[in-house]
Amino acid sequence: IFSKIKYDELLPKLTWQDFVELSDFLKNNGIETLDQQALQNILERSVATNKRAINGQFTTPKELAKILVRLTMTDKTSNILDCCCGTGTIPKECLKIKKEIMTPREAVESVWACDKYQFPLQVANISMADVDTMNMANRLFQHNALTLKTGEIIVITDPEKGGDIKLELPKFDSIVSNLPFVPFEIIMDDDKEIISKTSLFDGLDERSDLYCYIALKVSDVLKEDGKLGIITSNSWLGTKAGVRFVDTLKKKYSIKQIHISGKGRWFKNADVVTTIMILENKISDEDSITEFWLWKESLDSLKANINKEDTLVNSALLSEEIDPNISKVFKYNQKEIEELLNLNVSYNSLFHDVKWLIKLKDKLVRLNQVFSVFRGSRRGWDAMFYPEKGEHKIEEKYLRKVLKNARNVRYLTTKADSDAFCCGQSIEKLRVNKDFGTLEWIEKFEEQKNGVGKLLPVVLKRQNMHWYELKENEIAEFFTMMNPDKRFFFARFEEPSFINQRLIGLNQKQNYLDTELNHALLNSVLTMFYIEASGFGRGLGVLDINKTSISNCYMLNPKLVSIEDRHQIVDAFDKLKKREILNVSEELEDEIRINFEMKVLKAFGLEDYFDDIKSSLISMQETRFSVKEN
């Protein structure tokens, strides 16, 4: 089962005797009755979790592996490959399904698996072994998925005779794999070298994670019209790199289905949120349909009820929503997907019904056409730039109001609650002006060092700025949160104020100077929808958005509002401003909110769309929050 160890013939006699005694102990104490899964778990846990994480190796839940294989391997007699097999959960499920209609030998000879690293292969060999296949040679070999090619000679060990068996790598009818979760920042140097020399990857963004490259490369060993079923992180759903990933995939594959969980994370041993992609090895055409499947049952529920699992799998195989309480599907052709992406929603929104948005596009305007959008100050070293009251003698003229975060903001109009140290004067000028409180404050930090031992004047140095300087041009009229959870809002400062890096600031442009109307439209349900639709959920349920995604959102165009409608909208909005901000789900049931939304939508002739917008927004939020159920 285990591969040969270098120099094992030089093992000292006493060490060998220790191994024999350990084996004898295990044999006489019931090792043969130990559940195979338990043995696999012991071996998996013998590798430090952080080491597995660096390599992107997270064990695939058995139920997820089973469903992935059933979704992908539609011909049980065909050759199948797991190109990143890890500890063998997926190939084990392939063997089990194949043995329902094939002999054990036929099953073993049609299931191939490889991994870049040797240790998981040892565990995989144990996982794939069974009583009826004990003396059969698993098609299991060490190989980097980025260099697989058809016709390559693969050498495996004959478990009966101990000799080598040489096999030619065939084209596969299907490939199934849980691809490694390795972000672009920590891709190994050897993989980077392969990537840099492969023209196939030219269309990908340089910030693409490792799974993007592997998904493209394995098309080389997949038959024409063959199917690829992969588990990836959900990082591609809401990023520019993700859009380029999908565009590049379409040059090789037709993207048939994408599946996500609407009921908890699939991987409970990691904070990663994942997707399943089912691809066909042929170039996508304009008329092809991509199905976005949202699972409404957790893995545990599916595991406990085979009927639910069958319904989920059969629904996908038939491209038909059999029971919406188990899985829901929304189908989009390539033209619709392109139109929606051009309206700057993310792929993540397509797991919900958002086709109505296409009909509204003439009523919308890009948010960055109405506002200049910026992220709050990322100057660093908050202790100096945001001094606490009573801890300094800084002259008043060098202090500005700042809002550090929005957790305690309760109303749609607010005041900044802290001070920001904002001094553009030189040390010499401060001495001439006798600004001794400010000088004392600067001197307090001159000899301080950051976490890696560098002096602050060196770390905080910027071109054309004093090291202690915070620019005054980062003042906002309106703001929203960087990573919102359950509350979506754009608040207005009573007086324009500084914001720090946890917030996104907005200032009106000259052609759109109508503060009250703009503030009202920013807080409409359509803008709430856009905040959710432009991002994607992280592992703990927080929405991943940034300055760019907010800037690229669309909003209702204030230029299309008549004078009469403007008065009605502003009057309704005044009532909204007088009460506290609620969670989105509560907002959309609140009478004051609904009255306001009706006034806004009626001004644009869109009052019939409130339920559509509300339904999509709530569905997206429920899906994002579901990851917390783990």
Short mmCIF file of all heavy atoms in Angstrom, two decimals, residues 66 70 302 305-316 322:
data_model
loop_
_atom_site.label_atom_id
_atom_site.label_comp_id
_atom_site.label_asym_id
_atom_site.label_seq_id
_atom_site.Cartn_x
_atom_site.Cartn_y
_atom_site.Cartn_z
N LYS A 66 -19.99 12.22 -3.22
CA LYS A 66 -20.96 11.33 -3.85
C LYS A 66 -21.85 12.09 -4.84
O LYS A 66 -22.08 11.65 -5.98
CB LYS A 66 -21.81 10.66 -2.76
CG LYS A 66 -22.84 9.66 -3.26
CD LYS A 66 -23.62 9.13 -2.06
CE LYS A 66 -24.76 8.21 -2.46
NZ LYS A 66 -25.56 7.80 -1.28
N ARG A 70 -22.11 11.78 -8.98
CA ARG A 70 -23.39 11.47 -9.62
C ARG A 70 -23.79 12.55 -10.64
O ARG A 70 -24.39 12.24 -11.67
CB ARG A 70 -24.50 11.34 -8.56
CG ARG A 70 -24.35 10.12 -7.65
CD ARG A 70 -25.55 9.98 -6.71
NE ARG A 70 -26.78 9.67 -7.46
CZ ARG A 70 -27.99 9.63 -6.91
NH1 ARG A 70 -28.14 9.89 -5.61
NH2 ARG A 70 -29.05 9.36 -7.65
N LEU A 302 -29.27 15.91 3.32
CA LEU A 302 -29.23 15.07 2.13
C LEU A 302 -28.66 13.69 2.45
O LEU A 302 -29.12 12.67 1.93
CB LEU A 302 -28.39 15.74 1.04
CG LEU A 302 -28.97 17.04 0.46
CD1 LEU A 302 -27.92 17.76 -0.39
CD2 LEU A 302 -30.22 16.76 -0.36
N ASN A 305 -31.27 11.50 4.14
CA ASN A 305 -32.47 11.18 3.38
C ASN A 305 -32.11 10.95 1.92
O ASN A 305 -31.94 11.90 1.15
CB ASN A 305 -33.48 12.33 3.52
CG ASN A 305 -34.85 11.98 2.96
OD1 ASN A 305 -34.96 11.27 1.96
ND2 ASN A 305 -35.89 12.49 3.60
N ILE A 306 -31.98 9.68 1.51
CA ILE A 306 -31.58 9.35 0.15
C ILE A 306 -32.58 9.87 -0.87
O ILE A 306 -32.22 10.20 -2.00
CB ILE A 306 -31.38 7.81 -0.01
CG1 ILE A 306 -30.79 7.48 -1.39
CG2 ILE A 306 -32.68 7.07 0.23
CD1 ILE A 306 -29.44 8.07 -1.66
N ASN A 307 -33.85 9.98 -0.50
CA ASN A 307 -34.86 10.49 -1.43
C ASN A 307 -34.60 11.95 -1.79
O ASN A 307 -34.77 12.37 -2.94
CB ASN A 307 -36.26 10.34 -0.84
CG ASN A 307 -36.70 8.89 -0.75
OD1 ASN A 307 -36.30 8.05 -1.57
ND2 ASN A 307 -37.50 8.57 0.25
N LYS A 308 -34.17 12.73 -0.78
CA LYS A 308 -33.83 14.13 -1.05
C LYS A 308 -32.60 14.23 -1.95
O LYS A 308 -32.56 15.05 -2.88
CB LYS A 308 -33.58 14.87 0.27
CG LYS A 308 -34.83 15.14 1.09
CD LYS A 308 -34.50 15.93 2.34
CE LYS A 308 -35.76 16.23 3.16
NZ LYS A 308 -35.44 17.01 4.39
N GLU A 309 -31.61 13.37 -1.66
CA GLU A 309 -30.41 13.37 -2.50
C GLU A 309 -30.77 13.01 -3.94
O GLU A 309 -30.32 13.65 -4.90
CB GLU A 309 -29.37 12.39 -1.96
CG GLU A 309 -28.09 12.36 -2.79
CD GLU A 309 -27.20 11.17 -2.46
OE1 GLU A 309 -26.86 11.01 -1.26
OE2 GLU A 309 -26.86 10.41 -3.39
N ASP A 310 -31.59 11.99 -4.11
CA ASP A 310 -32.00 11.57 -5.45
C ASP A 310 -32.74 12.69 -6.16
O ASP A 310 -32.54 12.93 -7.36
CB ASP A 310 -32.89 10.33 -5.38
CG ASP A 310 -32.12 9.06 -5.06
OD1 ASP A 310 -30.88 9.06 -5.21
OD2 ASP A 310 -32.75 8.06 -4.65
N THR A 311 -33.60 13.40 -5.43
CA THR A 311 -34.36 14.50 -6.04
C THR A 311 -33.42 15.60 -6.50
O THR A 311 -33.57 16.14 -7.61
CB THR A 311 -35.37 15.07 -5.02
OG1 THR A 311 -36.31 14.05 -4.67
CG2 THR A 311 -36.12 16.26 -5.61
N LEU A 312 -32.44 15.94 -5.66
CA LEU A 312 -31.48 16.98 -6.02
C LEU A 312 -30.69 16.59 -7.27
O LEU A 312 -30.56 17.37 -8.22
CB LEU A 312 -30.54 17.25 -4.85
CG LEU A 312 -29.53 18.39 -5.04
CD1 LEU A 312 -29.35 19.17 -3.75
CD2 LEU A 312 -28.17 17.89 -5.53
N VAL A 313 -30.16 15.36 -7.27
CA VAL A 313 -29.34 14.90 -8.41
C VAL A 313 -30.19 14.78 -9.67
O VAL A 313 -29.80 15.24 -10.76
CB VAL A 313 -28.65 13.56 -8.07
CG1 VAL A 313 -27.98 12.98 -9.31
CG2 VAL A 313 -27.64 13.75 -6.95
N ASN A 314 -31.36 14.16 -9.55
CA ASN A 314 -32.22 13.97 -10.72
C ASN A 314 -32.69 15.30 -11.30
O ASN A 314 -32.83 15.44 -12.51
CB ASN A 314 -33.42 13.09 -10.36
CG ASN A 314 -33.02 11.65 -10.10
OD1 ASN A 314 -31.98 11.18 -10.59
ND2 ASN A 314 -33.80 10.93 -9.31
N SER A 315 -32.95 16.27 -10.43
CA SER A 315 -33.33 17.60 -10.91
C SER A 315 -32.25 18.17 -11.81
O SER A 315 -32.54 18.70 -12.90
CB SER A 315 -33.56 18.55 -9.72
OG SER A 315 -34.62 18.11 -8.92
N ALA A 316 -30.99 18.07 -11.36
CA ALA A 316 -29.88 18.61 -12.14
C ALA A 316 -29.69 17.83 -13.44
O ALA A 316 -29.46 18.42 -14.51
CB ALA A 316 -28.60 18.58 -11.31
N ILE A 322 -37.58 19.86 -9.69
CA ILE A 322 -38.58 18.88 -9.25
C ILE A 322 -39.24 19.31 -7.94
O ILE A 322 -40.46 19.25 -7.78
CB ILE A 322 -37.94 17.48 -9.09
CG1 ILE A 322 -37.45 16.97 -10.46
CG2 ILE A 322 -38.92 16.48 -8.48
CD1 ILE A 322 -36.65 15.68 -10.39
#
